Amino acid sequence: MQPIQPETYGAPRTVPVPAQRTAAPAEGFAVVDVETTGLGRSDRVISAGVYQLDPDGEVTDHWYTLVDPQRDPGPVWIHGLTAELLSGAPTFPQIAEEFADRLHGRVLVAHNALFDWNMISREFSRAGLRAPVEQRICTMVLSRDLRLPLPNGKLSSLAAHFGVRQQHAHNALDDARVLAEAFRPSLHLARQGGVPLPLQACVAVTDLGEDEPATPGRASWTGAAYRQAKKRPPCPYPNPGRWEDGKPLVQGMRVAFTGDTATDRELLEDRAAEAGLHIAGSVSRLTSLLVTNEPNSWSGKARRAREVGTPVVGEDAFLQLLREVAPHPGA
C-alpha cells in the first residue's frame, strides 16, 4: 500500500468537544504514529498517521496530516520535516476534529504507546478538548507477552519478524502502516494462544510544560479521571550505589522508570517504594537502575542511561528482583 498524500488544508474550524462514551463497545482499533518536535511536555506534534482496523485487525481506512507546531520542528535529521515543509500546514486545533473522528470508540494501538498517547493527549488539552480514547495497547508490550523472538524493542525488528517492509522510517503514515500490518498477526496470535491483550487505561494528560500552562477553565479535562502524581515520603536509606547484574537490589537504590509497562506504573512504583527503594524522576550518574521495556528508545531517560552507563533491566526482570530486595548495609 502506497502512502497517501497529506490532506488538503482548509480554513480553521470551530472544534466541538467530542461526546464521551462510557460503555459503548470498541469499534475496532486505531493504529497511530505521531512525529514530534521532541520528547518534552511542551513539545508538539508535527505529523500524524492513523490506520483504522476492524475488530479482526483488517484495515478499513487510513489518514495522514502534517501539523504546523508554530515553533522549531526539532530533530529534522530524524523525521525529515523542515520548517518550510510545515509552513502552511494546519495547526493542531484545525485538525483536532478529524483526528478525534479517527480515534473515537476505538482502542489506540502504538509502538511505545505511552509516548504517543501523552503527546496526543496534551495536544487535545491545549485545544480545549479530551482525546476520545479510553484504552490503548502498546505493541512493544504485546510482543513481549507473545514471547516473540525479537532482538530489541524497535518497530523495525517487529516488522522484520512478520515480513513487513518499511518504506520510510519515521514517516508517521508509513510507520502506522507498518505497525498495522504487524499488529494484525500479533492480534491473531494472541487470540489463538489465549494471551490477553495488554490494555491500559488512557488517562487525560494535562501537564503541558511550564512554558505552556493549561488555560484555567478549559473543558479539556473536565470530568476526566486525572491522577495527580503521588507524593511519597523520602526514602529513609542512603543510596548504596549502582545495581550489578547477578546481585540483588539493595534498599536505598535509586530506580527510574521510562516507557510503557504492562503493570500499572503507579503500582510498580508503590511496590518499589515499599521495598525500600528510592523512586527517581530522572536519570543521572547516581541512578542505580533504569527499568524500561525499550532500552534502545530515544526517550530522555533511556538516552541518559546509555550516556552515563546506568544499568537497565526490563519490567519482568525488575519484578523478579523486587521479590528479594536486600536490606541496606547500614540498617
Side-chain angles (χ1 to χ4, degrees), residues 99 169 222 256 285 309 314:
F99 200 177
T222 301
R285 296 183 185 277

Side-chain angles (χ1 to χ4, degrees), residues 131-160:
V133 179
E134 302 302 327
Q135 292 180 308
R136 68 177 185 269
I137 292 173
C138 179
T139 48
M140 180 185 67
V141 176
L142 178 58
S143 299
R144 184 208 63 190
D145 290 352
L146 292 172
R147 302 185 183 277
L148 300 182
L150 306 181
N152 52 51
K154 294 181 178 180
L155 176 59
S156 58
S157 296
L158 179 63

Side-chain angles (χ1 to χ4, degrees), residues 55-326:
D56 292 322
E58 299 298 328
V59 175
T60 60
D61 197 6
H62 58 273
W63 172 79
Y64 172 73
T65 185
L66 298 175
V67 182
D68 183 357
Q70 300 183 305
R71 52 166 290 179
D72 186 277
V76 174
W77 60 92
I78 294 177
H79 51 63
L81 298 177
T82 64
E84 290 74 21
L85 284 173
L86 296 172
S87 177
T91 61
F92 193 89
Q94 290 174 284
I95 60 98
E97 182 178 10
E98 186 162 10
F99 200 177
D101 287 343
R102 303 281 173 172
L103 301 176
H104 202 179
R106 297 175 181 271
V107 174
L108 184 147
V109 178
H111 202 66
N112 193 9
L114 181 62
F115 173 77
D116 290 84
W117 164 250
N118 284 346
M119 297 303 297
I120 292 167
S121 184
R122 286 191 180 99
E123 288 286 15
F124 274 93
S125 288
R126 292 186 185 100
L129 305 167
R130 185 189 185 283
V133 179
E134 302 302 327
Q135 292 180 308
R136 68 177 185 269
I137 292 173
C138 179
T139 48
M140 180 185 67
V141 176
L142 178 58
S143 299
R144 184 208 63 190
D145 290 352
L146 292 172
R147 302 185 183 277
L148 300 182
L150 306 181
N152 52 51
K154 294 181 178 180
L155 176 59
S156 58
S157 296
L158 179 63
H161 177 77
F162 287 114
V164 180
R165 181 185 175 189
Q166 284 187 293
Q167 297 176 352
H168 190 177
H170 297 297
N171 171 276
L173 183 63
D174 194 57
D175 280 354
R177 174 193 62 81
V178 168
L179 189 57
E181 293 185 21
F183 176 68
R184 182 172 57 252
S186 298
L187 177 65
H188 294 169
L189 284 174
R191 289 176 175 171
Q192 292 166 8
V195 177
L197 296 177
L199 293 164
Q200 290 284 315
C202 288
V203 179
V205 181
T206 59
D207 56 331
L208 309 184
E210 294 181 0
D211 58 333
E212 292 187 49
T215 303
R218 272 185 174 174
S220 55
W221 51 88
T222 301
Y226 175 67
R227 184 176 64 200
Q228 297 287 347
K230 178 178 289 187
K231 293 184 178 180
R232 297 183 175 87
C235 180
Y237 308 104
N239 185 0
R242 286 183 170 178
W243 172 77
E244 296 181 30
D245 190 15
K247 295 185 178 181
L249 292 169
V250 179
Q251 289 177 329
M253 283 186 170
R254 298 175 62 91
V255 179
F257 300 84
T258 189
D260 221 350
T261 54
T263 307
D264 182 83
R265 173 69 64 80
E266 187 174 45
L267 178 59
L268 277 178
E269 293 180 353
D270 284 346
R271 293 181 62 180
E274 289 167 1
L277 302 174
H278 176 102
I279 308 304
S282 60
V283 173
S284 71
R285 296 183 185 277
L286 298 178
T287 305
S288 307
L289 181 68
L290 175 67
V291 179
T292 177
N293 289 323
E294 193 176 11
N296 296 318
S297 77
W298 55 301
S299 76
K301 291 178 184 176
R303 285 186 298 145
R304 182 60 175 161
R306 292 194 291 269
E307 290 171 1
V308 301
T310 300
V312 178
V313 300
E315 178 186 353
D316 285 344
F318 179 67
L319 290 172
Q320 291 292 328
L321 289 168
L322 272 183
R323 292 182 176 182
E324 296 184 11
V325 176

Side-chain angles (χ1 to χ4, degrees), residues 27-50:
E27 297 175 12
F29 304 94
V31 179
V32 176
D33 185 77
V34 294
E35 296 300 318
T36 65
T37 62
L39 302 168
R41 291 179 298 171
S42 60
D43 279 300
R44 310 303 296 269
V45 169
I46 55 175
S47 66
V50 181

